Amino acid sequence: MFRDWSISVGGGGAFLQNADVNSFYDGKTNFGYNLYASLDKQITHVFGLGVHYQMGETNQKALLPGALGVAAGVATAYTKYRQVSLMGDINFSNLMRRVDNHSPYRWALHGYAGLGFQGYETLLLDNDMSRWSTSPPRIPIEINQKIGLDTFMFHLGTGVKYNVSPLIDVEARALYTITGDDSFDGGGYGKTARPPYNAINPGTSDNMFTVNLGLTFKLGKHDTHLSWYDPLQDIHGRIKVLEDMPTELVVCEKGDLDNDGVCDDWDRQLDTPAGARVDGAGVALDLDLDGVIDLYDKCVTVPGTVETSGCPK
């Protein structure tokens, strides 16, 4: 009934934050870049899962404290990285959508969480020389690291999608990456590394965030992608068909005792309260299956209790 596969691509800025060698130095922002691609499978209209690949480069600076900093000057570092992760996608707009919302469904708020592996290469330029001599003339010290695709990292983020057409979505997305690695910023290995760039801040995880614009290409032959399917609006459509039926058409020869649009011959609930929406068998709708029908349920899409009028305690 629905498209449920998609491919997403995009790119934007990348910034090292919470690191010894930082993208935000001396009141200025040192821009990096990132590119991403993902293959996604929509499991339900609320939840999807995808394989996410991201690559890019960050640009950061740092100054060592005291005499070391005076000698070295402001160090510049670069980190080229690659990340592969399994990413979960929660469609908050579908999760929180109200049954009485009749607006066109074109915008959606998404949340992301992922776990995967990363690899990176770093380069740090320090203007001081080797510290055991003052001659020959000073030359830059380079700290160069290369890490394979073998360290864990975590993604957390959010995005806003716009449904352009049955084939394409546009998205603005922000992801925060917890690298779990104190060497990601190019400062060397561990707090005892020399020069001591990794000892500038006490933290042991150099984290980064990315901000992106991207496109999602929805795959398949059906008109609607599952992430844009709104079951509540579908219910509205069925009710409208009943409301628009010609009054002169006699459907129920034996009557409709509770006036719910389902003939008594097939009605499994003959005493449906007035105004309650029903399914094809005449049973009052209870979308969240909490035992409180939608007519009396103050939290239609969230299971609750009878005592709290269908809302969680």
Side-chain angles (χ1 to χ4, degrees), residues 251-298:
V251 177
C252 302
E253 294 183 357
K254 293 188 178 181
D256 179 9
L257 185 63
D258 50 10
N259 295 313
D260 61 358
V262 179
C263 299
D264 291 346
D265 288 342
W266 310 298
D267 199 329
R268 290 167 48 196
Q269 187 176 356
L270 294 173
D271 57 349
T272 304
R277 295 172 177 142
V278 298
D279 60 17
V283 178
L285 292 175
D286 178 12
L287 289 181
D288 52 13
L289 303 176
D290 59 1
V292 181
I293 65 173
D294 295 347
L295 180 64
Y296 305 131
D297 199 327
K298 294 182 179 180

Side-chain angles (χ1 to χ4, degrees), residues 85-166:
S85 61
L86 187 64
M87 185 92 74
D89 174 0
I90 297 178
N91 187 332
F92 287 114
S93 293
N94 257 335
L95 186 65
M96 301 183 294
R97 196 161 174 80
R98 291 168 54 94
V99 70
D100 57 353
N101 190 336
H102 297 270
S103 62
Y105 190 20
R106 304 300 295 272
W107 293 92
L109 175 66
H110 288 252
Y112 301 100
L115 169 66
F117 296 94
Q118 66 183 0
Y120 58 89
E121 301 175 30
T122 68
L123 173 64
L124 185 142
L125 302 178
D126 181 313
N127 292 321
D128 196 7
M129 62 170 291
S130 299
R131 287 170 170 71
W132 51 270
S133 174
T134 58
S135 178
R138 297 184 173 196
I139 59 174
I141 289 178
E142 297 185 1
I143 300 177
N144 200 328
Q145 304 172 100
K146 185 174 182 180
I147 308 295
L149 197 67
D150 56 2
T151 62
F152 280 108
M153 58 84 194
F154 304 89
H155 288 310
L156 293 171
T158 187
V160 177
K161 280 191 174 183
Y162 179 71
N163 186 12
V164 177
S165 73

Side-chain angles (χ1 to χ4, degrees), residues 16-94:
L16 255 175
Q17 185 268 344
N18 190 40
D20 301 281
V21 191
N22 206 291
S23 294
F24 304 95
Y25 176 81
D26 196 25
K28 299 178 181 178
T29 301
N30 299 285
F31 287 85
Y33 74 91
N34 81 94
L35 301 171
Y36 75 86
S38 65
L39 175 64
D40 306 298
K41 166 71 172 177
Q42 196 70 27
I43 310 300
T44 71
H45 70 291
V46 170
F47 178 72
L49 200 60
V51 178
H52 183 268
Y53 175 77
Q54 181 174 286
M55 62 170 289
E57 180 176 328
T58 60
N59 178 9
Q60 53 268 11
K61 297 181 185 296
L63 180 67
L64 291 172
L68 293 177
V70 173
V74 178
T76 299
Y78 307 91
T79 301
K80 294 182 178 180
Y81 68 91
R82 303 156 302 282
Q83 297 170 337
V84 177
S85 61
L86 187 64
M87 185 92 74
D89 174 0
I90 297 178
N91 187 332
F92 287 114
S93 293
N94 257 335

